[in-house]
Amino acid sequence: TMATPAIASARPSPAPAAAPPPAVGRCRLAPLAAGCLLASFVANDLPVALVAVQAFLGWPALSVAAGIVGALLPSWYRGQREARRRDAVEYAVAEVVDALRDASRTGVGIEDALRSLARSGPVALRPALRVLERDLRLMEFDVALARARESVAHPAFDMLAVALVMSFRVGGRNLSGVLDGLGRSVRGTARARREVRAQQAEQVMSA
């Protein structure tokens, strides 16, 4: 009996497994994630964004630094915002003083001048001046000015209110001269404060 030759199997050999797609490294996602998380700070909360970024990027060494920055920056930001508000109010007071001085020289009464400023005065003080205009119709002059002082809460406006109340009580004699001196004082104080801040900024930059 002749031996039957072995028949080779026609079964195809398995194809090699496809290589997995290249993983997107954390280095590629990091800028996008950091940008998104820091954008959330602008809209919401800085400490949360900073901690999230450093946690995502795997920087445990920055945990302490991020915590310190997260604790200090909000108070620093609030301080800067309050300083800008106070500067804006100070310059607005100087404008109001000039307007009242000019009105006094032309014979316009204090109350009429304040009512006009409620509509056309500087933006930083316009809300307070509108409330003052309403209060002047409902209460005594000095009481309305006292309420405005509490609302504005700025030394420059305090000095203006005191000058107006004193002038109102004595009949407005030499009010334009008083306001002229007050305007120079307010502007001089603002200028001195601006120079001090500039010097401090130079010292920080040179340190």
Side-chain angles (χ1 to χ4, degrees), residues 12-49:
S13 59
V24 179
R26 193 175 270 186
C27 61
R28 295 185 181 180
L29 289 179
L32 178 60
C36 294
L37 290 170
L38 286 177
S40 71
F41 144 64
V42 175
N44 296 291
D45 195 357
L46 170 65
V48 172

Side-chain angles (χ1 to χ4, degrees), residues 5-195:
I7 300 174
S9 175
R11 179 183 300 174
S13 59
V24 179
R26 193 175 270 186
C27 61
R28 295 185 181 180
L29 289 179
L32 178 60
C36 294
L37 290 170
L38 286 177
S40 71
F41 144 64
V42 175
N44 296 291
D45 195 357
L46 170 65
V48 172
L50 286 177
V51 173
V53 168
Q54 69 90 22
F56 178 85
L57 297 179
W59 298 338
L62 294 181
S63 297
V64 175
I68 294 174
V69 171
L72 294 180
L73 274 184
S75 60
W76 175 85
Y77 174 74
R78 286 192 297 269
Q80 291 296 309
R81 184 173 58 183
E82 176 62 17
R84 289 193 296 268
R85 186 198 74 85
R86 293 178 68 84
D87 287 346
V89 169
E90 195 164 39
Y91 287 113
V93 170
E95 293 183 33
V96 169
V97 168
D98 291 346
L100 293 174
R101 178 202 60 198
D102 296 341
S104 176
R105 287 175 176 173
T106 58
V108 178
I110 297 175
E111 295 186 57
D112 292 336
L114 289 172
R115 292 190 182 97
S116 176
L117 286 169
R119 297 183 295 273
S120 61
V123 175
L125 280 178
R126 200 173 297 170
L129 291 172
R130 286 173 178 168
V131 174
L132 176 60
E133 178 190 22
R134 182 201 64 193
D135 290 345
L136 288 173
R137 297 194 301 266
L138 302 175
M139 58 191 66
E140 297 292 332
F141 184 83
D142 54 346
V143 177
L145 262 295
R147 286 170 57 89
R149 288 178 59 183
E150 294 177 0
S151 173
V152 176
H154 194 286
F157 191 85
D158 290 346
M159 291 189 293
L160 172 60
V162 170
L164 294 179
V165 169
M166 294 299 297
S167 176
F168 185 81
R169 289 177 178 175
V170 300
R173 292 174 297 187
N174 196 31
L175 177 60
S176 61
V178 172
L179 293 176
D180 193 42
L182 178 58
R184 289 195 301 269
S185 175
V186 171
R187 284 191 169 85
T189 302
R191 183 167 52 251
R193 185 179 295 109
R194 187 169 59 248
E195 292 173 355

